[in-house]
Amino acid sequence: GKSLFSMRNYTCQELQSHLPVQSSEINLDKILATGQVFRWRKFEDTWYGVIRNKAWVLRQDTSGIHYTFHILNEENEKNNLNVKPVDELIDYFNLRHKLSEITQPWVSSDKHLSTLLTSHQGLRLIRQDLRVFAGFYHVFVQQHS
């Protein structure tokens, strides 16, 4: 089939938009490559994946996340007219919660947790659409019954 984006290494300047966020708050490599999600692929330094009704291209550097997207289904997108794409990224990666604030009490009080949290900075849980998980579960159960 025809690819929505050419699988190539996009430069940050080529991507249309930018979400300024520190790498200590989000690390795309640790989040997208650790088995939490399966709809993302990395080519060199560029991530390709799907969030809701959009195919996304993401690239992270020290200034934040550079991105662009392509709407997959115009009809479905009519329901999301009031949602800004940057807000979809913030919601999906759960960026309204600051990791530094959440982890600070543990870092300052527990040596082992401090080491663990420091070595995994930017790792966070994704807010996935439960319908995607339910569909995966249904297929898995059918295949293994």
Side-chain angles (χ1 to χ4, degrees), residues 73-97:
N73 183 319
E74 295 287 341
E75 192 63 32
N76 288 347
E77 195 59 22
K78 290 178 182 175
N79 299 330
N80 295 327
L81 291 177
N82 297 328
V83 179
K84 295 178 186 172
V86 69
D87 290 332
E88 288 183 290
L89 276 182
I90 290 169
D91 184 55
Y92 184 75
F93 288 111
N94 221 356
L95 290 170
R96 297 193 199 293
H97 304 283

Side-chain angles (χ1 to χ4, degrees), residues 133-143:
F133 177 75
F136 171 76
Y137 178 77
H138 179 73
V139 169
F140 180 80
V141 169
Q142 281 186 335
Q143 288 179 350

Side-chain angles (χ1 to χ4, degrees), residues 4-5 16-17 39-41 47-58 67-93 129 131-132:
L4 293 173
F5 298 102
Q16 298 171 348
S17 301
R39 296 167 54 165
W40 289 89
R41 297 292 177 263
W47 282 98
Y48 299 84
V50 175
I51 302 173
R52 296 187 185 91
N53 189 43
K54 294 179 180 72
W56 294 79
V57 177
L58 307 177
Y67 65 92
T68 191
F69 62 88
H70 175 77
I71 296 171
L72 297 173
N73 183 319
E74 295 287 341
E75 192 63 32
N76 288 347
E77 195 59 22
K78 290 178 182 175
N79 299 330
N80 295 327
L81 291 177
N82 297 328
V83 179
K84 295 178 186 172
V86 69
D87 290 332
E88 288 183 290
L89 276 182
I90 290 169
D91 184 55
Y92 184 75
F93 288 111
D129 184 342
R131 292 172 293 183
V132 172

Side-chain angles (χ1 to χ4, degrees), residues 19-27 31 87 89-104 106 121-127:
L19 173 61
V21 61
Q22 296 177 344
S23 60
S24 60
E25 288 294 323
I26 183 170
N27 182 314
I31 296 168
D87 290 332
L89 276 182
I90 290 169
D91 184 55
Y92 184 75
F93 288 111
N94 221 356
L95 290 170
R96 297 193 199 293
H97 304 283
K98 298 287 184 202
L99 286 179
S100 55
E101 293 173 8
I102 294 168
T103 59
Q104 182 54 42
W106 296 328
Q121 276 190 334
L123 178 61
R124 50 175 59 239
L125 293 177
I126 289 180
R127 295 186 68 192

